[in-house]
Amino acid sequence: MADFLRLRRASARSVTRGTYALRPVRSSAMRVATWMSVCVACAAAGAAAMHGYATRVTSDSMPCAAVPSHDGLDDALARTQLALRQEAASRASVQRSADALTAEVRELQAHVLFLQAQSRSRR
């Protein structure tokens, strides 16, 4: 057992006395090649996106199909839109009154705090 501990201490001393220097995991040529391949891949992806954008089918070249008439649906849509506008207006009105009441409550709380401070100072 003592021999094992002596060998372990001796190897630890030799390891700590050595000089070490960091060296890159990959060579600089490999790092440059990796960056170049990334740049080429990005350029290829950009070129593919530009080509797809340039050759996409525009709505002008597509044939225009007549939409069948849906008078009942149009009326229902108009009624629903009107109901939504009315609801939005009523919500806005309620929000305005709630904001006004909140401001009034804050003002009354400030008055109460002032009066409480005045009554404490008189004692």
Side-chain angles (χ1 to χ4, degrees), residues 115-123:
L115 292 174
Q116 285 176 350
Q118 290 296 320
S119 68
R120 286 187 196 133
S121 66
R122 287 185 184 172
R123 289 183 190 172

Side-chain angles (χ1 to χ4, degrees), residues 70-85:
H70 298 288
D71 291 333
L73 291 177
D74 291 340
D75 293 339
L77 178 64
R79 283 192 302 272
T80 305
Q81 286 175 341
L82 178 63
L84 285 174
R85 279 192 232 116

Side-chain angles (χ1 to χ4, degrees), residues 85-97:
R85 279 192 232 116
Q86 288 173 343
E87 182 180 354
S90 65
R91 283 181 187 252
S93 173
V94 168
Q95 185 64 43
R96 280 193 300 273
S97 62

Side-chain angles (χ1 to χ4, degrees), residues 45-77:
M50 290 290 289
H51 178 71
Y53 180 77
T55 59
R56 73 169 196 244
V57 177
T58 61
S59 62
D60 295 337
S61 64
M62 294 181 65
C64 184
V67 179
S69 177
H70 298 288
D71 291 333
L73 291 177
D74 291 340
D75 293 339
L77 178 64

